[in-house]
Amino acid sequence: MSLINSNNSIENKIINYIGVLYIIPTPIGNLEDITQRALRVLSNVDLIAAENIKHTRFLLKNFNINAKLFVFHNYNEQQKVKLLIEKLLRGENIALVSNAGTPLINDPGYHLVRRCHEENINVVPLPGACAAITALVASGLPSNRFCYEGFLPTKSKARCDMLYNLSYESRTLIFYESPHRLIQSLNDIINIWGPERYIVLARELTKIWESLYGAPVNELLQWILKDKNRSKGEIVLIIQGCKTNINNNALSVEVIHTLTLLQQELSLKKAITLTASIHKIKKNTLYNYAISKLNT
């Protein structure tokens, strides 16, 4: 019995020499949203891995925190993971922060956290600000089931493909979007999902110019076009899930046959477009049918 206790004691000492990776959310606008726990950890760690040194230094200065900073962003993450792991294994405690919000949510950190698990390094996540969740709970749309998709693709074709793939998604959808692509994205949503899909535009959350506006997408687009300031800043789109009930009997044998033949030679999108044009029916109806067949 004494030997077992001795071995456990040695093991505990070894574990204590391994550092801890803390995942620290930071404010998405209002500096008052940082937690006391986050400030305490940031004040005591050996190193802060930051997406942007200048941005993080500004945050720390506001709370009189002096800390050693390490540049860690999307472009160097995979190269710097090894170095950070070595520091953690030597017993250094490291805090991971992004420019704003919760790290890893469309921000760097996945590869580092994954390696920590592989090396049995303790990962301690702190709760805190996240633009997606902040927008969701204020949207008035169902929040018990939702689907976070990050940023829509920058190129129209890839964006439309994603929207087509999500046409039959019944959960509330969350997207981040860039101000200079917002108009194009809303037009793509209208073309693929129709003008009636309800969307809440959450902009500049927790900041001075914070605003939330919800409307069917066609009305939302017109509202934005009336004032260019309505498309500026950090943007989150909360989108109503699909409510369409697929009734395969609504499609004739001829329509289904046409779609099936065209799919053998063309992409789903092109097959649907041609079938809709030939038989004078809505593309959404055909796409929902195609998705329902894939899910059966």
Side-chain angles (χ1 to χ4, degrees), residues 212-229:
L212 288 99
Y213 184 85
V217 59
N218 193 47
E219 293 180 25
L220 176 63
L221 178 59
Q222 297 308 312
W223 178 78
I224 292 169
L225 291 173
K226 290 177 182 177
D227 184 350
K228 63 180 182 180
N229 291 318

Side-chain angles (χ1 to χ4, degrees), residues 62-119:
N62 274 273
F63 297 102
N64 298 314
I65 297 174
N66 293 312
K68 185 178 179 181
L69 298 176
F70 180 94
V71 180
F72 186 75
H73 49 60
N74 281 324
Y75 303 103
N76 74 354
E77 179 178 357
Q78 295 194 52
Q79 292 76 21
K80 298 298 183 180
V81 163
K82 182 180 179 181
L83 179 58
L84 290 177
I85 291 295
E86 289 174 353
K87 290 178 179 293
L88 287 161
L89 290 173
R90 288 200 301 265
E92 293 187 41
N93 294 318
I94 298 176
L96 173 65
V97 300
S98 58
N99 284 349
T102 301
L104 279 80
I105 306 300
N106 256 88
D107 284 320
Y110 164 75
H111 297 286
L112 176 59
V113 172
R114 185 66 186 173
R115 281 294 306 280
C116 283
H117 285 288
E118 291 172 356
E119 298 290 343

Side-chain angles (χ1 to χ4, degrees), residues 169-241:
E169 176 56 66
S170 62
R171 294 172 292 180
T172 300
L173 292 154
I174 305 175
F175 293 101
Y176 289 160
E177 189 50 284
S178 168
H180 69 271
R181 291 196 302 268
L182 179 62
I183 301 302
Q184 296 94 315
S185 292
L186 292 178
N187 275 314
D188 287 338
I189 289 171
I190 290 170
N191 290 333
I192 294 170
W193 292 348
E196 299 302 318
R197 185 69 71 95
Y198 190 86
I199 298 181
V200 175
L201 171 69
R203 189 177 65 85
E204 292 291 86
L205 292 172
T206 80
K207 302 182 182 76
I208 294 174
W209 304 111
E210 173 182 284
S211 68
L212 288 99
Y213 184 85
V217 59
N218 193 47
E219 293 180 25
L220 176 63
L221 178 59
Q222 297 308 312
W223 178 78
I224 292 169
L225 291 173
K226 290 177 182 177
D227 184 350
K228 63 180 182 180
N229 291 318
R230 293 170 177 171
S231 63
K232 290 183 177 180
E234 301 288 334
I235 292 171
V236 185
L237 298 176
I238 310 295
I239 305 179
Q240 182 182 52

Side-chain angles (χ1 to χ4, degrees), residues 124-149:
V124 177
L126 275 64
C130 177
I133 300 302
T134 303
L136 173 65
V137 297
S139 69
L141 289 171
S143 57
N144 59 322
R145 296 177 67 248
F146 59 90
C147 178
Y148 171 73
E149 290 290 333

Side-chain angles (χ1 to χ4, degrees), residues 143-164:
S143 57
N144 59 322
R145 296 177 67 248
F146 59 90
C147 178
Y148 171 73
E149 290 290 333
F151 279 93
L152 282 162
T154 57
K155 294 185 178 180
S156 182
K157 183 183 184 305
R159 186 165 57 243
C160 288
D161 287 343
M162 173 181 274
L163 293 172
Y164 270 115

Side-chain angles (χ1 to χ4, degrees), residues 11-27:
E11 183 180 349
N12 287 336
K13 288 180 180 179
I14 294 173
I15 291 173
N16 287 337
Y17 281 118
I18 297 178
V20 175
L21 176 68
Y22 294 92
I23 301 175
I24 312 292
T26 55

